[in-house]
Amino acid sequence: MESSSQLYSQGKQMLGMLPGQYRSGGTGTAIRFAMAECSLGCLLVAETAQGICAISLGDEPEPLLKEFQTRFADAELLPPDPAFDAKVARVVSLIQDPQQRLSLPLDIRGTAFQQRVWQALQQIPPGTTLSYQALAETLGQPGAARAVASACAANTLAVAIPCHRIVRRDGSLSGYRWGVERKRALLERELESKESE
């Protein structure tokens, strides 16, 4: 298991922005972003030079944009270009058909534990769910179910890091950063795709 210092020492290769840059609102970082519509509502996608750093879903564009601008208050925000528009279209396609994999580089930022949770989430096949407890056990930390839930809540890459595949121990749906109804819709799409294979 990697310690936080080992993980952070890998710097930009693992985390894109260094932790200090992220905490300071993205100082010195250029971030390209775009808003789009998808079947789950409004979508915001953003990327740094290292990869996709934000995928957010919402009912209205303004709150998504405000949260994004607050999180990266000191970054240089750039408009989309044709190459980035193509990446946004791939994110929209993934939302429509979650059986796909998003084969784009991700600029993922978080603590060492969060990184481990997010990597484990990416290993859960579409149409499959795990409980917070089961994921904690998979990580070799059976007492960390609440920490797993917190890491899921801290995920800023909807669908690309599929925290929607984590459910309560009894199988019921619990909180989802972008709304429980979106979580339900994503899981239903995955199950339908799985059953039609």
Side-chain angles (χ1 to χ4, degrees):
M1 182 170 105
E2 292 182 295
S3 70
S4 294
S5 60
Q6 287 172 316
L7 194 61
Y8 287 152
S9 72
Q10 295 169 22
K12 289 186 178 179
Q13 180 183 353
M14 281 292 290
L15 299 173
M17 260 191 248
L18 292 170
Q21 280 179 300
Y22 181 67
R23 283 192 297 271
S24 68
T27 302
T29 302
I31 302 177
R32 192 170 301 282
F33 77 100
M35 306 286 297
E37 289 288 326
C38 68
S39 60
L40 294 180
C42 295
L43 172 70
L44 183 146
V45 181
E47 74 170 352
T48 65
Q50 286 73 37
I52 302 294
C53 65
I55 301 173
S56 300
L57 296 163
D59 296 326
E60 300 290 335
E62 291 81 9
L64 289 181
L65 185 59
K66 186 175 180 181
E67 188 272 338
F68 171 71
Q69 290 173 325
T70 299
R71 185 155 43 114
F72 297 113
D74 296 317
E76 179 188 3
L77 301 181
L78 304 173
D81 58 20
F84 185 63
D85 285 340
K87 293 174 186 177
V88 174
R90 287 165 72 180
V91 174
V92 171
S93 179
L94 177 67
I95 291 168
Q96 296 306 115
D97 180 8
Q99 288 288 99
Q100 301 178 50
R101 290 227 176 251
L102 184 66
S103 55
L104 292 172
L106 301 179
D107 183 355
I108 307 171
R109 306 176 195 93
T111 66
F113 182 78
Q114 287 172 336
Q115 293 273 343
R116 291 180 64 225
V117 170
W118 297 338
Q119 287 168 3
L121 287 168
Q122 292 176 6
Q123 304 309 310
I124 302 171
T128 304
T129 58
L130 280 182
S131 68
Y132 296 100
Q133 181 63 45
L135 186 57
E137 289 168 4
T138 299
L139 295 172
Q141 296 186 249
R146 284 189 177 177
V148 165
S150 294
C152 288
N155 173 28
T156 58
L157 289 158
V159 187
I161 298 177
C163 57
H164 62 274
R165 295 180 189 148
I166 300 299
V167 297
R168 290 190 176 119
R169 195 183 302 220
D170 65 3
S172 63
L173 302 187
S174 57
Y176 183 56
R177 184 182 188 120
W178 300 284
V180 172
E181 286 309 309
R182 288 188 180 90
K183 182 173 188 168
R184 188 184 319 280
L186 287 166
L187 289 172
E188 286 173 356
R189 285 177 194 183
E190 290 183 357
L191 285 171
E192 286 169 10
S193 295
K194 189 177 180 181
E195 288 166 1
S196 65
E197 285 181 346

